Structures are given as C-alpha cells and as structure tokens.
Amino acid sequence: MFLRTVAMVGLAVGVIACGTVAINNVQNAPVSTASGKAPTAAAVRGAILQAGAGLGWVMTDVKPGVLEGKLALRSHTAVVEIPYSEKSYSIVYKSSTNLNEANGSIHKNYNGWIQNLQRDINAKVSALN
C-alpha cells in the first residue's frame, strides 16, 4: 500500500512538472524602427499599449517608464512589469494565478503569451517613424 501511495504521488508530481517550463523574462530588448529613426520613450509606451490591447492585456502606468500588464484568460491570470525607454524594453514576470508558478517555473502557456506580446511590441515599434 505504501509503495502504491508513493508511486501515485510521484506520478502526480511528474504530470504537474511536465506542464511547466522556466519563466521567460525579456531583458532589455532593443527598440528599433524600420526607418532607423530613434523613437521617443512616449512612442515606445504607445507601441506597448497598442500591442498589449490587441492581445487582451490590460496595461496600467506604474510610474514613468514602467507599465504593468495583466492578462486574464478563463481562471488564469498573468501579471508582468514592463520597464521601457527610447532604447529598450523588458517584460518581467511579477505574479500569476492558477499558472503553477514555483521555483522559477510556470505553466507552459505563459511563455507563449510573453512571446506573442514581445512579437507585437516589436512590430508596433518597428512601424514608428
């Protein structure tokens, strides 16, 4: 009986672990426009807001040069901090609900949401004049 219990607990831990991956933070992603002109920090902020809104993220200003993004899907919530300037931006994990975050790992869907946000921010920044 004891071995069966140990095996069941091991299986449950393995199933949970298979659905998690290391948290992907975007650190100092360079800002570059297609025209080669340097954008203002305000323009970068606008690009981040547009990209987030298009993907369902709710963005709020935390302080100058820092946004907080929140994505709520079904019973899952992810919160990130997005510091930005005219030269770069980052997307850093802040908190989550129902995404099995523990010890630097999180539900595998989280990284996809961050990759989509980064891709759309890059596209919006690239389109700046």
Side-chain angles (χ1 to χ4, degrees):
M1 188 63 154
F2 175 74
L3 290 177
R4 178 180 282 170
T5 302
V6 170
M8 293 300 285
V9 169
L11 179 62
V13 169
V15 168
I16 291 170
C18 288
T20 63
V21 295
I23 293 173
N24 178 34
N25 287 317
V26 176
Q27 297 291 341
N28 299 313
V31 169
S32 61
T33 64
S35 68
K37 295 180 183 178
T40 64
V44 173
R45 177 185 175 276
I48 294 168
L49 292 174
Q50 280 186 323
L55 294 170
W57 289 85
V58 175
M59 301 288 185
T60 55
D61 288 296
V62 175
K63 61 184 178 182
V66 180
L67 292 167
E68 180 180 271
K70 182 177 181 180
L71 181 66
L73 298 171
R74 298 171 300 282
S75 65
H76 309 288
T77 303
V79 181
V80 296
E81 188 169 86
I82 307 173
Y84 63 90
S85 70
E86 63 279 353
K87 297 185 187 300
S88 68
Y89 69 92
S90 298
I91 305 172
V92 181
Y93 173 85
K94 190 170 180 183
S95 65
S96 62
T97 304
N98 293 329
L99 289 175
N100 301 327
E101 184 277 328
N103 302 319
S105 294
I106 198 160
H107 190 284
K108 62 185 179 179
N109 288 353
Y110 171 83
N111 284 345
W113 301 337
I114 298 306
Q115 289 169 352
N116 290 339
L117 180 59
Q118 181 182 16
R119 182 193 66 239
D120 282 12
I121 290 171
N122 289 342
K124 300 291 187 205
V125 167
S126 179
L128 296 172
N129 290 324

